[in-house]
Amino acid sequence: MAEVPGLSLDPEVAAALPPWSEVLERLATPGRRRVADVLADAGAAGVPVTQPRCGIGAHDGMVDLLRTLERAGPGILTITIDSHTRLRDFATAARLAAGSPADLNGYPLVAHGWRRGRELVASVGVPLQVRHGSPDPRDLFAVALAAGITSFEGGPIGYNLPYAKDVPLAVSLRAWREVDQVCGLLAEHGVVVDRELFGTLTAVLVPPSTSIAMTLLEAVGAVEAGVRCLSVSYPQGGETHQDVAALRAIRSLARRYLGVEVHAVLHQYMGPFPRSRPAASALIVQGGLVARLGGAAKVVTKTEQEAEGIPDARANADGLALAALGAADLFGFARLDEDRVAEEQHWIEREVAELVDPVLQGPDLALGIEAAFAAGRLDVPFSASRHARAEVVPRRDPSGAIRYGDSARLPFSDPVRRRNAALLGPGDDRSVFAATSADIHYFQQDRGMVPR
């Protein structure tokens, strides 16, 4: 594995891996469906597949969890990675995996190793994706490939600024560039790795154009590196017309800027969830419907237990069923105000263009991204990273759609700024903190989810 062109690995991790020729031969062996195949079929059918989040520290428990969730009918299953592995603290992850795996908040794939990773792949009949949150995922990526996993989430912006406090963008941009170059190398051998870009960001009041702009910039770099299968994820904001418009804008903007087809992915609402079970169920069903109306190929599901903590397997399976219900033919009669959706999509695409065009017009993509964040021309709301200004203040308008209450230094035109201000309407007597907090907890008030 160490001889893979351009992929720099920790020597101990590299030494434990099988030869690259064996990994490549195994990945190229026909017969097993890959995530790219599942997404292509879902896009052709017009019905999104479902995927749960799941990951625990114990290997046998992870096998059992995957088998349990497979019975609920997802198209893709997940290996969510623990936080120690995400930050390359492999020694701590290994120590906990050996002695107290319940103390891990995900599956430590590097610690368990590629052989156990292959056991996970073989344990179920649907393909797996690795989800993690690492600004430097090169070692994790290498182990995932050796395990036979061909779907890897993340990117240099989305898996840095929302997750890490002080990882320079130059570090994550360089690391993820190596990952994408290996994906390009694999594609030359007929192995298509799905690369899902994490537009969810901080998952708190993320304006659609911010989400899409970040993933679009990551996608440009990925395509340049040779990636052949791109999924672009978007976090459900909660206002149906805006969410549908955002999902449709992903594919439209991909055609404009990338010249390749991408798969839109909806992450069901990731903010504070309704406390009542009926309201939580309604929000999950709504997410499935939004995914279908927006043309998403996949919906990453939530559960009725989100407001209580980490969901158990039963709740996770129920969440899959509810999301699939929302995306089913049963709701084929559902229609939206298409003029309203089209107007929303137009303005989302305009905002995205005003954010990304100045970066893309520069001579170097990575340097342009770094400079834009340093100047505040790109920003991530509520980011804990020192490398994002976090000056943008999003707000909900009276319909529940997410707007820019304060767009700070973003390079928006006067028409864009005036539209956001007009849709938000006159201010109120609350402080910015109180008003924003109320918007964050919007669905914990069961807004429109259950009868009064």
Side-chain angles (χ1 to χ4, degrees):
M1 178 66 76
E3 76 273 13
V4 178
L7 190 63
S8 304
L9 299 176
D10 178 281
E12 291 188 12
V13 174
L17 291 168
W20 172 246
S21 58
E22 191 269 350
V23 173
L24 183 58
E25 181 181 2
R26 186 179 182 90
L27 290 172
T29 300
R32 189 173 184 90
R33 278 170 63 79
R34 301 171 182 152
V35 169
D37 303 321
V38 173
L39 295 173
D41 290 347
V47 179
V49 297
T50 57
Q51 177 182 354
R53 294 176 176 84
C54 59
I56 59 175
H59 177 69
D60 291 343
M62 188 70 204
V63 170
D64 290 342
L65 179 58
L66 290 173
R67 287 173 173 166
T68 297
L69 293 177
E70 183 182 25
R71 292 194 287 271
I76 303 162
L77 283 166
T78 303
I79 303 174
T80 302
I81 303 301
D82 70 286
S83 56
H84 298 292
T85 301
R86 294 172 193 172
L87 298 178
R88 297 173 53 81
D89 186 0
F90 304 134
T92 299
R95 175 174 57 80
L96 292 173
S100 51
D103 291 339
L104 290 164
N105 63 346
Y107 185 82
L109 179 60
V110 174
H112 280 309
W114 58 271
R115 291 180 179 84
R116 284 188 164 182
R118 289 184 181 180
E119 290 177 10
L120 296 182
V121 171
S123 69
V124 290
V126 298
L128 305 181
Q129 180 188 45
V130 168
R131 313 184 76 93
H132 49 107
S134 176
D136 182 352
R138 290 172 290 184
D139 296 288
L140 175 62
F141 179 61
V143 177
L145 288 179
I149 299 168
T150 55
S151 182
F152 199 73
E153 186 193 28
I157 301 172
Y159 266 7
N160 180 349
L161 301 183
Y163 284 90
K165 183 176 182 179
D166 195 15
V167 177
L169 276 164
V171 171
S172 58
L173 286 162
R174 184 171 58 251
W176 280 97
R177 179 74 173 183
E178 291 186 14
V179 167
D180 287 336
Q181 287 173 334
V182 173
C183 291
L185 175 66
L186 287 166
E188 294 175 2
H189 291 275
V191 178
V192 177
V193 175
D194 168 57
R195 287 279 294 105
E196 182 182 334
L197 305 177
F198 189 68
T200 301
L201 301 175
T202 51
V204 179
L205 287 183
V206 178
S209 59
T210 289
S211 168
I212 298 171
M214 302 307 161
T215 51
L216 186 58
L217 290 170
E218 292 176 332
V220 170
V223 171
E224 289 177 352
V227 172
R228 301 280 182 85
C229 181
L230 279 170
S231 302
V232 173
S233 67
Y234 164 79
Q236 180 183 358
E239 202 290 308
T240 301
H241 297 84
Q242 185 179 54
D243 288 337
V244 169
L247 290 170
R248 293 178 182 178
I250 287 172
R251 299 197 312 282
S252 173
L253 289 164
R255 288 190 292 270
R256 183 192 311 177
Y257 286 94
L258 304 175
V260 300
E261 187 69 24
V262 305
H263 303 291
V265 175
L266 180 73
H267 284 242
Q268 293 199 316
Y269 186 69
M270 294 181 69
F273 230 68
R275 294 185 178 91
S276 77
R277 291 295 178 89
S281 296
L283 186 56
I284 295 167
V285 172
Q286 181 197 38
L289 179 59
V290 164
R292 178 165 180 169
L293 292 173
K298 182 176 74 174
V299 53
V300 182
T301 60
K302 282 292 187 175
T303 78
E304 297 172 334
Q305 293 179 348
E306 296 300 320
E308 303 167 17
I310 298 174
D312 58 31
R314 180 201 58 78
N316 226 334
D318 289 347
L320 288 165
L322 287 168
L325 173 65
D329 290 337
L330 176 67
F331 290 101
F333 63 86
R335 296 291 183 272
L336 295 177
D337 181 340
E338 288 294 336
D339 289 339
R340 182 175 169 185
V341 173
E343 180 183 12
E344 192 73 46
Q345 182 176 343
H346 165 79
W347 284 98
I348 290 172
E349 293 185 10
R350 177 168 178 171
E351 290 176 3
V352 171
E354 292 183 5
L355 290 171
V356 305
D357 283 353
V359 179
L360 295 176
Q361 289 164 3
D364 184 276
L365 178 63
L367 292 178
I369 291 171
E370 292 179 65
F373 273 105
R377 297 191 303 273
L378 293 175
D379 205 358
V380 174
F382 312 113
S383 172
S385 172
R386 294 173 179 171
H387 304 281
R389 289 181 175 268
E391 294 174 339
V392 170
V393 180
R395 290 293 314 281
R396 289 190 185 273
D397 71 14
S399 75
I402 300 172
R403 310 294 178 191
Y404 291 92
D406 183 351
S407 55
R409 306 174 196 229
L410 299 182
F412 285 148
S413 61
D414 287 341
V416 164
R417 292 178 184 271
R418 286 196 298 268
R419 179 176 183 268
N420 275 271
L423 290 170
L424 287 169
D428 52 39
D429 296 332
R430 295 177 296 177
S431 67
V432 172
F433 177 83
T436 306
S437 178
D439 288 343
I440 290 171
H441 292 87
Y442 185 79
F443 283 107
Q444 283 201 324
Q445 305 167 47
D446 294 351
R447 296 290 188 105
M449 292 292 113
V450 292
R452 297 294 181 189

